[in-house]
Amino acid sequence: MSAKDPAVSRFPVPALTDMPADIRERIEKVQEKSGFIPNVFLVLAHRPDEFRAFFAYHDALMDKPGNLSKAEREMIVVATSNLNQCQYCVIAHGAILRIRAKDPLIADQVAINYRKADISPRQKAMLDFAVKVSQSAHLVGDDDMETLKQHGFDEEDVWDIAAIASFFGLSNRMANVTSMRPNSEFYAMGRG
């Protein structure tokens, strides 16, 4: 899809040439690496300051070192995005999960019902907590922390899980409001 394709968003999508230089450069780097421009970059470029803030926080959560693997971080996104009915994030992050986990089935399993997915008890505990944060954070309590601790998660891990679930709650809602469409390229990534 091009930046002018109305199916990308229900809001105006600026042409690449009209974007601020830093945003255009970031998008071109992503395009060079992946072979296409994920629609989230085009849609969020509508508001440059928010684009910068969004991707700064995204990168801080998803690219940092820590006890959560990059695949586990993507599992959180896929499981919570499914519950938030975010087609874009389930499809796009499902593709990334398949690649990072080196497993063509994992994203579909996690998206549909992570409790029956071929993941470890530790990962199920992680996703139970992420889902609770996503759907009913007001019910999070000390018992949740104890359960995660029993599965080897420390306080920083708990923060990461909660932050990822929370951040993608925002992302899911904006993707739904903007009617952001997943790129067709995502559907086949990591399956073969």
Side-chain angles (χ1 to χ4, degrees), residues 35-78:
F36 67 100
I37 301 172
N39 288 337
V40 66
F41 289 91
L42 299 173
V43 173
L44 294 182
H46 174 66
R47 292 195 170 185
D49 290 340
E50 292 172 35
F51 176 102
R52 292 179 189 103
F54 179 92
F55 284 107
Y57 196 33
H58 172 278
D59 296 350
L61 292 172
M62 300 304 285
D63 295 336
K64 68 182 277 189
N67 293 326
L68 299 179
S69 71
K70 288 187 176 188
E72 288 171 332
R73 292 170 193 276
E74 296 296 338
M75 282 181 196
I76 295 167
V77 178
V78 173

